[in-house]
Amino acid sequence: MKLWNLFLAFFRVGILGYGGGPAAIPLVHKEVVEKCKWMSDDDFSDVLALGNALPGPIATKLAGYIGWRVSGLLGMVVSVLATIVPTIILMILLLTVLNAYREKPWVQGMSKAVVPVVGVMLAVMTWDFIAKSTSGLGKVWGIALIVISFVVLELIGIHPAILIGILIVGALLSPGKRKERKVKAS
Amino acid sequence: MIYWKIFLAFFIPGVLGYGGGPASIPLVENEVVDRYHWLSVNEFSEVLALGNALPGPIATKMSGYIGYEVGGVFGAFVGVFATIAPSLILMIALLALLMKFKNSPKVKLLTNLVRPAIAVLLGIMAYDFFKDSYHGIGWLQTLAIVVVSFLLLQKWKVHPAYVIGAALVYGAIFLG
């Protein structure tokens, strides 16, 4: 019964959450805290803070952890699958149909028209990340890091994994006092 | 061998994508388009467009579909597993430790330091998409679609699913 409820809760989250994982957070909160009362508000914000401290998609971290807490390993598997499987299947079906008609000129037209729209979505996301960078680190540090990242990634051509790895190590090794000041400055 | 590549291609974005699923988009593109050449920029944009038009987390939709394209059902499984398992396992395994540090300034600094790099990667990707569109349909069509979709998405807050639907219809009729 609990497993079925977990499935339903995260199925709804997966199928209603437009805009990627972060858009699903309020939906998860609604199901888990308000509807099913599996955890308190405070517990939920703890879980969210935990999830944000780790990399990777947030929706599946929430689903997996909450499922695990409510009913163990099986709960975790059921919740994660309910979150992701329905939309992955839809995605594969739609793109497979599209690929079958790849040669048709109208399909090629569709494919061409979508490229600039996605460009706009990415540009908006870029702006979002730039705004958050400067508000998180302060204008000077934010812009400096953007410029440095651009030089390292694009002009020198270093793999993003190496740059991000160095940034992660830098954050973890940074001496206590300085970083506190930096965070407060934000 | 192909499954190992699929695993790597999605494991790296899964482990480095600070800031939720959207942060891993440019990292996935880097692996899938630039490194392994499984998809062209054009095909990747279709995956992303459809992914944005459908509900649910974006990272797993991409890894599920691309994994399926490259290695069938098992490929889809490997892609999704590599995307979500590492950080989920870490989250559950390190729970006690993480609880202690979840509000630590170091953790916040982590996201703050990675964000500018993600911004650059997203910006480069957006530029690639515009360039690609310019080569495909010329600057006039590109500019028109960019302006209209920007207004629809940002100014009038039309749902992305409708904007992408409209672009598909427009393309089928006028760009075919």
Side-chain angles (χ1 to χ4, degrees):
Chain A
M1 202 54 213
K2 235 178 197 165
L3 284 178
W4 177 240
N5 285 335
L6 275 174
F7 175 83
L8 280 182
F10 285 103
F11 178 78
R12 278 193 294 261
V13 168
I15 217 81
L16 296 175
Y18 277 94
I25 294 171
L27 297 174
V28 176
H29 180 266
K30 199 177 157 132
E31 295 287 336
V32 169
V33 178
E34 290 168 34
K35 217 182 223 159
C36 301
K37 303 207 176 2
W38 283 319
M39 50 176 58
S40 71
D41 227 5
D42 283 353
D43 278 355
F44 184 81
S45 51
D46 272 358
V47 174
L48 191 57
L50 270 178
N52 278 329
L54 290 169
I58 185 76
T60 51
K61 268 181 292 186
L62 288 179
Y65 175 72
I66 294 167
W68 182 75
R69 237 176 87 154
V70 172
S71 92
L73 192 64
L74 207 58
M76 177 184 103
V77 173
V78 166
S79 306
V80 171
L81 290 181
T83 311
I84 63 172
V85 168
T87 53
I88 292 178
I89 291 176
L90 259 178
M91 181 99 175
I92 291 177
L93 284 179
L94 286 173
L95 281 166
T96 309
V97 170
L98 202 66
N99 277 330
Y101 295 100
R102 171 74 53 206
E103 302 307 316
K104 299 261 189 274
W106 59 271
V107 172
Q108 288 173 2
M110 284 164 84
S111 159
K112 281 178 196 153
V114 141
V115 176
V117 180
V118 176
V120 169
M121 287 173 169
L122 289 169
V124 169
M125 276 171 65
T126 307
W127 178 247
D128 226 47
F129 270 80
I130 291 175
K132 277 189 205 147
S133 299
T134 50
S135 73
L137 289 167
K139 267 216 173 75
V140 176
W141 275 100
I143 291 169
L145 262 176
I146 288 171
V147 172
I148 292 169
S149 302
F150 180 78
V151 170
V152 168
L153 291 169
E154 200 55 2
L155 303 183
I156 308 180
I158 286 181
H159 192 284
I162 298 172
L163 173 67
I164 295 176
I166 291 171
L167 290 170
I168 291 172
V169 172
L172 294 177
L173 294 182
S174 71
K177 278 176 205 146
R178 218 177 60 206
K179 94 214 152 196
E180 248 169 297
R181 209 168 48 211
K182 237 192 244 172
V183 170
K184 265 188 202 137
S186 63
Chain B
M1 192 55 201
I2 188 69
Y3 298 118
W4 176 240
K5 279 185 187 160
I6 294 174
F7 179 82
L8 277 185
F10 293 105
F11 175 78
I12 294 172
V15 165
L16 297 175
Y18 274 89
S24 63
I25 294 172
L27 300 168
V28 169
E29 198 240 4
N30 197 69
E31 300 298 316
V32 168
V33 177
D34 300 341
R35 188 178 205 182
Y36 294 112
H37 307 290
W38 288 327
L39 300 179
S40 67
V41 174
N42 232 310
E43 287 165 325
F44 189 79
S45 85
E46 276 167 28
V47 174
L48 204 50
L50 224 68
N52 271 326
L54 292 173
I58 184 77
T60 51
K61 269 180 293 187
M62 285 196 300
S63 58
Y65 172 72
I66 297 169
Y68 175 78
E69 269 294 289
V70 178
V73 173
F74 189 63
F77 175 79
V78 171
V80 171
F81 182 82
T83 306
I84 61 176
S87 58
L88 183 56
I89 291 170
L90 268 179
M91 180 148 171
I92 291 174
L94 300 179
L95 190 66
L97 196 69
L98 280 167
M99 268 302 185
K100 231 162 56 193
F101 288 107
K102 70 177 163 31
N103 289 324
S104 130
K106 274 189 190 186
V107 166
K108 284 178 192 141
L109 183 65
L110 204 65
T111 312
N112 279 339
L113 283 183
V114 171
R115 227 177 244 145
I118 301 284
V120 168
L121 288 168
L122 281 168
I124 293 169
M125 235 176 110
Y127 171 77
D128 282 345
F129 275 68
F130 291 138
K131 202 175 70 183
D132 210 58
S133 179
Y134 165 75
H135 288 307
I137 56 179
W139 68 271
L140 205 64
Q141 288 280 3
T142 302
L143 190 68
I145 298 175
V146 163
V147 170
V148 172
S149 57
F150 179 79
L151 289 174
L152 287 171
L153 287 167
Q154 287 309 109
K155 189 146 195 265
W156 297 310
K157 304 281 171 205
V158 175
H159 196 287
Y162 296 122
V163 179
I164 285 178
L168 291 174
V169 172
Y170 177 81
I173 297 171
F174 296 105
L175 300 175

